[in-house]
Amino acid sequence: MPNVSTRGDGKPEVNHSYSAKLNPATGECILENYGEKYKTCDFALLANLYISEGKPGKVVEVRSSRRTGQSNFVSCMREALDRHYGKKPVGMGGTFLIQKGKAKIHVMPEFSPCPLNGDEAVNNWLKFFDMSAPLICQSVYVSRDLGFDLRVEHTHCFSHHGEGGHYHYDTTPDTVEYLGYFLPAEHLYRIDRPEQIHKLGW
Ligand SMILES: [Zn+2]
């Protein structure tokens, strides 16, 4: 769950990121303060990052409770933007709180010793949990892919009770409550785009 103030104006970088991994002995989630523990801002595999100057200003506030359809909170916002703006893609980033209820969250185990071919193999490898509110979520989403092989939405969450990971959807549609703050992006950068694309899940 990347959250970094970058170096600048004579100040060093500050890393508030968290990471989630599995306890190999128990299979439970271990949430760690990544910046404090590993003293690095490096990351591997992939990241969907929202970058801002951190200045105060107007933001979009979204309050929502009770889920009536299949789409998760982020998909609802993304699909609404896509319906409205169509061929003009809109990218958003921000943070939201799952204030009440529970959510389906995955944590990556150790890397698979064999290649994972297909979504089913990926899902069998990932470890899924039903995690409890309050969950603090960081999200990046783009209303539609312009052909960059984007992951059009990606949300990770952490908490102050030891749970965190990759957000899929809430599992308590009748009682769930969300509160979020978002901003539209001005530019989209696709860095180190893979030459071979796989169209695989998460
Ligand atoms: Zn993820």
Side-chain angles (χ1 to χ4, degrees):
M1 307 93 210
N3 184 8
V4 174
S5 297
T6 53
R7 183 169 52 228
D9 297 331
K11 293 181 200 154
E13 69 268 18
V14 183
N15 190 345
H16 297 289
S17 303
Y18 285 83
S19 60
K21 64 181 183 184
L22 293 180
N23 180 336
T26 64
E28 285 171 1
C29 169
I30 301 175
L31 188 72
E32 293 178 320
N33 189 317
Y34 184 92
E36 256 175 38
K37 177 148 188 186
Y38 298 106
K39 308 280 183 232
T40 175
C41 289
D42 291 354
F43 64 92
L45 288 181
L46 67 88
N48 293 80
L49 305 171
Y50 182 76
I51 299 169
S52 83
E53 294 177 301
K55 293 176 180 166
K58 282 191 172 180
V59 295
V60 178
E61 182 184 274
V62 182
R63 286 175 187 272
S64 176
S65 58
R66 216 170 143 255
R67 176 166 59 82
T68 55
Q70 293 295 314
S71 296
N72 70 31
F73 179 59
V74 177
S75 299
C76 285
M77 294 186 287
R78 186 175 61 73
E79 288 159 4
L81 286 171
D82 188 52
R83 277 195 298 275
H84 189 79
Y85 291 101
K87 289 177 185 163
K88 292 184 185 169
V90 179
M92 302 282 284
T95 182
F96 66 90
L97 201 58
I98 302 176
Q99 296 173 298
K100 286 187 184 165
K102 291 188 162 201
K104 180 175 173 174
I105 307 287
H106 84 235
V107 178
M108 284 198 326
E110 289 287 336
F111 291 133
S112 170
C114 58
L116 299 169
N117 296 313
D119 282 337
E120 195 183 337
V122 173
N123 286 335
N124 285 333
W125 165 68
L126 292 172
K127 184 90 197 294
F128 289 91
F129 295 90
D130 203 24
M131 294 187 178
S132 300
L135 294 166
I136 303 145
C137 304
Q138 296 162 204
S139 189
V140 174
Y141 55 97
V142 186
S143 59
R144 66 170 66 181
D145 189 351
L146 283 179
F148 291 104
D149 183 33
L150 297 176
R151 185 172 292 224
V152 290
E153 59 183 78
H154 205 167
T155 303
H156 286 181
C157 64
F158 63 93
S159 69
H160 299 302
H161 55 268
E163 292 185 313
H166 174 116
Y167 165 80
H168 289 261
Y169 50 83
D170 62 79
T171 57
T172 51
D174 291 336
T175 53
V176 71
E177 289 187 14
Y178 291 97
L179 169 63
Y181 296 94
F182 305 93
L183 265 184
E186 293 176 13
H187 305 280
L188 183 147
Y189 297 93
R190 176 64 154 117
I191 298 169
D192 288 346
R193 180 178 176 176
E195 287 174 14
Q196 282 188 354
I197 60 168
H198 50 59
K199 296 273 179 202
L200 281 190
W202 330 111

